[in-house]
Amino acid sequence: MNSIIKRLKDPVLPAVLNSYSVIFFFNDRLFAAILLIVSFFNVVAGLSGLIAVITAVLIADRLGFNEMLLKQGVFSFNALLAGIGLGTFYEPSVVFAALLLMSSLLSLIISVVLNRFLGKYGLPYLSIPFVLTLWIIMLP
């Protein structure tokens, strides 16, 4: 049980919080906590964003991605944006939950691929994964 709690604290909890603050190019946990609370002004969007970012962080951690980038929230902030975006447009349902988990995974994959590809040239990928994910999910 202690190993599970330790694993949640390191790197999952810092990665989830930093995913909120990195959207505004900050690395401050207090600011992240404020953004987390503010995201729940729209409860469905806030919960969708939180679920999406937790899913992305857990998958990235499980797949063994760069732990430093994971803790900084670099791989998961696009999943947060996609989750909030989907939570804004769709009503909660079982289908929405599946769509949310798939979009979280898709934005994570696109983030990692663009990080590798554009990182070689010193270029940022910023919110491109979020935009591509929403386009793909909302296309039909």
Side-chain angles (χ1 to χ4, degrees):
M1 185 66 166
N2 285 338
S3 65
I4 293 171
I5 293 172
K6 183 182 183 307
R7 195 70 187 148
L8 283 176
K9 284 200 247 180
D10 186 54
V12 174
L13 187 60
V16 169
L17 280 177
N18 287 335
S19 296
Y20 283 88
S21 64
V22 80
I23 293 171
F24 289 98
F25 306 105
F26 282 102
N27 190 10
D28 183 21
R29 292 206 178 135
L30 176 62
F31 183 65
I34 292 168
L35 289 175
L36 174 65
I37 293 167
V38 167
S39 74
F40 276 89
F41 285 176
N42 180 339
V43 177
V44 175
L47 189 59
S48 298
L50 184 61
I51 290 170
V53 75
I54 289 172
T55 302
V57 167
L58 289 175
I59 291 171
D61 183 48
R62 196 73 176 144
L63 293 176
F65 291 145
N66 186 330
E67 191 170 327
M68 183 185 71
L69 293 176
L70 180 64
K71 279 184 182 179
Q72 291 174 350
V74 172
F75 290 143
S76 52
F77 77 93
N78 282 297
L80 170 65
L81 291 172
I84 290 174
L86 289 175
T88 302
F89 289 111
Y90 293 104
E91 294 294 321
S93 68
V94 175
V95 174
F96 171 70
L99 195 64
L100 181 65
L101 296 177
M102 288 188 302
S103 69
S104 178
L105 178 61
L106 180 62
S107 67
L108 173 66
I109 291 169
I110 295 171
S111 294
V112 171
V113 169
L114 285 178
N115 183 34
R116 294 272 178 151
F117 179 71
L118 294 176
K120 288 190 293 189
Y121 304 107
L123 298 171
Y125 61 93
L126 301 174
S127 62
I128 295 171
F130 153 68
V131 172
L132 290 176
T133 299
L134 277 188
W135 281 354
I136 291 169
I137 296 296
M138 297 179 76
L139 185 63

